[in-house]
Amino acid sequence: MKRIVVTGGLGYIGSHTVVELQLAGFEVIIIDNLSNSSKDVLKGIVNITQKEPTFVELDLRDKQATISFFTKYDNIDGIIHFAASKAVGESVVNPLLYYENNVTTLITILQQIQKKENIPFIFSSSCTVYGQAEQMPIPENAPIQQAYSPYGNTKQIGEEILLDTTKAVNGLQVISLRYFNPIGAHPTAEIGELPIGVPQNLVPFITQTAIGLRKELAVFGNDYPTKDGTCIRDYIHVVDLAKAHVIALKRLLSKTNTESFEVFNIGTGKGSSVLEVIESFERVSKQKLNYSITSRREGDVVAAYANTTKANTILGWRAISSLDEAMLSAWNWEQKIRKTN
Ligand code: NAD
Ligand code: WQD
């Protein structure tokens, strides 16, 4: 059985990916420092898969502890690296935290695995690297724009580090997946997104408003040059996104990749406006959402949705869940966690 290390495997996207890896027959070793997750997530993973992954509580900023980990687990077959800090606003206030947690930790891991032969490496990148792209849907070869935030910059730098390292280290094979907007939860409602404090992202803000934790959703601007004036994004069900990691990993394990560093957009290819997301929520939850239109949020791009041709044709992956299915899963998850907490 192939052993895969998943950093940040108790987080939102990581936990869904651990589930898909275990269902696909991989053995998983999770590294997480619980800075943005909890050990309870393990129970959800076990309830879905009937299998407990190995969990190692470790802060990847601790270089010695990370070296010890890779010395202990010296026979691994792949790494999926999710662990990072991801709050755009916080990264503006505390950039060094972001450069340390997102860039230094990547370097530490690469230093360890470059000593080993041929370990496939999957990196969590983001559509944020495109900024406001001129071409829509956005292809992978669209120009990378100057990052708006230190967080976005850590993803650009991460990709550059990986590209340079694959050129220099024989046998290192990397796939960078540029996620668009992940939403939703596992259909069993055993795992999902658990934002700490006030959610910055649209969908958890919607579900928390509907459950009564927030008074109303502020829609950030309706004067954009779009069909209804609100911004357009590509909202992808987190389970579809998780499955893309398993497929990318299999590509590297079977050595069908053509280059040592490949980049794929992971989105649905469909753009939805903020108002369409609200309509979808109201449809599946059968209730009206309390919202009002406010001013624009600084830094928001007008539109971003993926050209997914490369992932469709080369990976043989495509998103299958609809926006309604994703919104229903997010709503079921919200109701479940508020009942149990
Ligand atoms: P998350 O915060 O839910 O998960 C990250 C996990 O990493 C958490 O469990 C956290 O405790 C852990 N972690 C953070 N720093 C660590 C460290 N130093 N050592 C060990 N563990 C550490 O985030 P997520 O939404 O699941 O995102 C996963 C990855 O995908 C991140 O790299 C993020 O930048 C990227 N990404 C996320 C989105 C999104 O909208 N959620 C979009 C594009 C890219
Ligand atoms: C979506 C839309 C808002 C909240 C962020 C990161 C990006 C990536 C994905 C990691 C926008 C609108 C939102 C609210 C609103 N993450 N909105 N009211 O900004 O596309 O991307 O997450 O890599 O880097 O920047 O996602 O969910 O914050 O916003 O009207 O309370 O919803 O203006 O149009 P975004 P989001």
Side-chain angles (χ1 to χ4, degrees), residues 3-10 18 27-35 37 39 42 52-60 62 64-73 76 83:
R3 300 176 99 194
I4 309 301
V5 169
V6 180
T7 77
L10 293 186
V18 170
E27 182 187 338
V28 175
I29 303 158
I30 294 173
I31 294 177
D32 206 300
N33 68 351
L34 305 176
S35 58
S37 54
K39 264 191 190 170
L42 280 171
E52 179 141 12
T54 303
F55 169 54
V56 179
E57 189 173 339
L58 167 65
D59 189 333
L60 292 161
D62 183 339
Q64 276 318 314
T66 306
I67 293 171
S68 302
F69 172 89
F70 283 103
T71 308
K72 181 173 177 192
Y73 294 95
I76 56 171

Side-chain angles (χ1 to χ4, degrees), residues 7-15 31-38 58-61 81-86 101-102 105 123-127 151 155 177-182 193 201:
T7 77
L10 293 186
Y12 174 44
I13 307 169
S15 57
I31 294 177
D32 206 300
N33 68 351
L34 305 176
S35 58
N36 200 29
S37 54
S38 111
L58 167 65
D59 189 333
L60 292 161
R61 288 172 299 183
H81 180 46
F82 292 104
S85 302
K86 63 165 181 177
N101 207 34
N102 297 8
T105 58
F123 179 63
S124 295
S125 189
S126 168
C127 63
Y151 166 75
K155 294 297 170 189
L177 299 178
R178 292 180 180 160
Y179 316 154
F180 280 66
N181 290 56
E193 193 171 8
N201 294 113

Side-chain angles (χ1 to χ4, degrees), residues 10 21 32 65 105 108 138 197 304 328:
L10 293 186
L21 285 168
D32 206 300
T105 58
T108 304
I138 310 172
L328 180 59

Side-chain angles (χ1 to χ4, degrees), residues 53-276:
T54 303
F55 169 54
V56 179
E57 189 173 339
L58 167 65
D59 189 333
L60 292 161
R61 288 172 299 183
D62 183 339
K63 193 166 180 174
Q64 276 318 314
T66 306
I67 293 171
S68 302
F69 172 89
F70 283 103
T71 308
K72 181 173 177 192
Y73 294 95
D74 63 345
N75 60 340
I76 56 171
D77 299 292
I79 299 187
I80 306 184
H81 180 46
F82 292 104
S85 302
K86 63 165 181 177
V88 176
E90 185 188 43
S91 79
V92 175
V93 177
N94 197 348
L96 295 182
L97 172 75
Y98 276 68
Y99 289 113
E100 183 185 29
N101 207 34
N102 297 8
V103 180
T104 312
T105 58
L106 172 65
I107 294 170
T108 304
I109 295 172
L110 290 174
Q111 283 168 336
Q112 295 316 300
I113 63 166
Q114 69 171 350
K115 299 175 190 158
K116 302 175 192 281
E117 284 286 296
N118 283 331
I119 296 192
F121 188 94
I122 313 279
F123 179 63
S124 295
S125 189
S126 168
C127 63
T128 190
V129 302
Y130 297 119
Q132 181 54 74
E134 278 176 18
Q135 216 178 321
M136 212 57 64
I138 310 172
E140 284 84 353
N141 61 7
I144 301 297
Q145 309 270 4
Q146 181 167 18
Y148 168 73
S149 69
Y151 166 75
N153 206 20
T154 66
K155 294 297 170 189
Q156 297 188 5
I157 294 170
E159 287 197 356
E160 284 171 8
I161 290 171
L162 288 163
L163 175 61
D164 290 343
T165 312
T166 51
K167 282 183 194 160
V169 176
N170 222 350
L172 178 64
Q173 305 289 316
V174 175
I175 288 182
S176 179
L177 299 178
R178 292 180 180 160
Y179 316 154
F180 280 66
N181 290 56
I183 60 164
H186 198 269
T188 58
E190 290 286 349
I191 53 173
E193 193 171 8
L194 274 174
I196 293 172
V198 181
Q200 304 302 307
N201 294 113
L202 177 63
V203 172
F205 206 106
I206 289 177
T207 55
Q208 287 198 9
T209 304
I211 207 93
L213 280 178
R214 313 278 153 216
K215 206 165 146 264
E216 70 170 4
L217 168 78
V219 172
F220 298 139
N222 68 348
D223 56 352
Y224 286 97
T226 62
K227 48 192 165 186
D228 59 23
T230 63
C231 292
I232 308 280
R233 296 289 183 275
D234 185 335
Y235 297 93
I236 175 170
H237 196 304
V238 67
V239 173
D240 280 334
L241 172 58
K243 286 179 175 162
H245 293 78
V246 179
I247 293 173
L249 179 69
K250 286 181 175 171
R251 175 172 174 79
L252 294 182
L253 286 169
S254 63
K255 303 192 182 352
T256 37
N257 53 316
T258 45
E259 290 159 37
S260 56
F261 179 73
E262 293 179 313
V263 173
F264 294 96
N265 284 342
I266 303 296
T268 65
K270 186 174 174 289
S272 303
S273 72
V274 177
L275 293 181
E276 283 172 337

